Amino acid sequence: MNPTLFARLAPPLFVLIWATGFIVARFVAPYAEPLTFLFVRYVLAIIVLGVIVAVAGVTWPRKWHDWRNSLIAGVLLHGLYLGGVFWSVKHGLPAGISALVAGLQPLATGLLTGPLLGEQVSARRWTGIGIGFMGAALVVAPKLGAGGVPPLALGICILGMLSITFGTIWQKRTGSNLDLRVNAAIQYMGAAAVTLPLVLLTEEGRMELTPPLLGAMAWAVLGLSIGAIGLLLFLIRQGAVVGVATLLYLVPPVAALMAFALFGETLSPVQLAGMALAALGVAVASRN
């Protein structure tokens, strides 16, 4: 594919694939414990990426600091972020609130990229971030329950959001020179290493090998762990971290449309207005 064309297609393709993660979570919930599912997903991703790297003849890093940097990125981007969100939802945090917490990531990224990366966030980009957050909030607003919010689950979810924020910044600072396939494989080693002890301490390792679970696992490995993460690493390498983070505002609207198509979930006028606002915010933040 033409490199220029791929660079243009990468952002919408990333949003589309990333949004399917919410659909996968809904499919697998009755059949597997969340951290167990994530650990198996990481291991399978390592195997698949290892085969791809071997066939392509790509060399693995020879310096320890390259391994260290990618392992830390994997712990932050995958292990602590996904583990935190999955654990929080399992322990009573409404999915709508978890989505709102995730929507704070571009705000946190904008605040941290200046001191940590030296990236200056323009007034236009801050405007886009604000508009995008309002849009994402409107999309998930009808799903917010009236019940109480477990403080521990909310805190773990916030830590997960901060984890992917720092992981994105860490990846931008340290992972630019590695082959993307090698980088992703090592990241999943870090994610698996931090997830396994949590599985052993908190879960029984339950997985029912049903067709829905196997199909969801196949997509989680090939589509999400390899496709979406490969696109994320490519976008981080190519652009400003705040601009990449702002794309995540489009994920709740796209996920809501998928749920409407697959599960018959309704879309209210407020949600439709939120989708338009989220798209506007990303357009303003990403405008050259």
Side-chain angles (χ1 to χ4, degrees):
M1 181 182 292
N2 182 283
T4 303
L5 177 61
F6 179 77
R8 291 178 178 176
L9 291 177
L13 189 59
F14 165 72
V15 171
L16 183 64
I17 299 176
W18 193 267
T20 65
F22 294 92
I23 306 301
V24 168
R26 175 161 179 169
F27 267 114
V28 305
Y31 308 108
E33 292 177 295
L35 296 181
T36 299
F37 178 83
L38 288 174
F39 176 73
V40 175
R41 169 181 163 181
Y42 299 148
V43 172
L44 292 176
I46 293 168
I47 295 172
V48 173
L49 284 167
V51 172
I52 292 173
V53 169
V55 171
V58 181
T59 58
W60 295 85
R62 292 186 174 89
K63 298 180 179 178
W64 160 242
H65 69 81
D66 289 328
W67 283 87
R68 178 203 63 199
N69 292 339
S70 292
L71 288 170
I72 292 175
V75 169
L76 295 172
L77 283 172
H78 312 301
L80 296 182
Y81 167 63
L82 289 176
V85 171
F86 273 60
W87 189 92
S88 299
V89 172
K90 179 186 176 183
H91 288 80
L93 187 69
I97 293 180
S98 68
L100 275 179
V101 171
L104 295 174
Q105 189 207 342
L107 296 173
T109 303
L111 291 172
L112 292 171
T113 51
L116 296 181
L117 289 178
E119 288 186 7
Q120 298 302 314
V121 182
S122 65
R124 170 187 52 76
R125 182 153 280 175
W126 275 120
T127 301
I129 290 173
I131 294 172
F133 179 74
M134 287 189 293
L138 288 176
V139 171
V140 302
K143 298 183 179 296
L144 296 179
V149 177
L152 179 59
L154 178 61
I156 295 296
C157 191
I158 292 173
L159 289 177
M161 179 274 296
L162 293 174
S163 177
I164 193 175
T165 300
F166 281 107
T168 303
I169 294 172
W170 179 268
Q171 174 64 33
K172 180 69 175 181
R173 289 189 63 179
T174 65
S176 300
N177 297 323
L178 289 182
D179 179 270
L180 291 178
R181 295 160 294 188
V182 171
N183 193 7
I186 300 175
Q187 284 188 13
Y188 287 123
M189 295 177 191
V194 76
T195 304
L196 179 58
L198 297 176
V199 171
L200 297 176
L201 289 172
T202 65
E203 295 184 352
E204 298 176 355
R206 180 181 66 86
M207 286 188 65
E208 300 175 15
L209 300 182
T210 60
L213 177 71
L214 294 176
M217 179 66 78
W219 175 250
V221 172
L222 299 176
L224 289 165
S225 294
I226 296 177
I229 295 303
L231 289 168
L232 176 62
L233 297 180
F234 171 79
L235 290 170
I236 292 173
R237 182 174 293 184
Q238 295 296 314
V241 170
V242 176
V244 174
T246 307
L247 287 173
L248 296 180
Y249 282 147
L250 293 176
V251 172
V254 173
L257 288 172
M258 290 179 177
F260 170 76
L262 294 173
F263 307 121
E265 293 186 5
T266 58
L267 289 173
S268 68
V270 169
Q271 287 178 293
L272 294 174
M275 292 178 186
L277 266 182
L280 175 62
V282 173
V284 170
S286 304
R287 183 171 175 268
N288 291 325

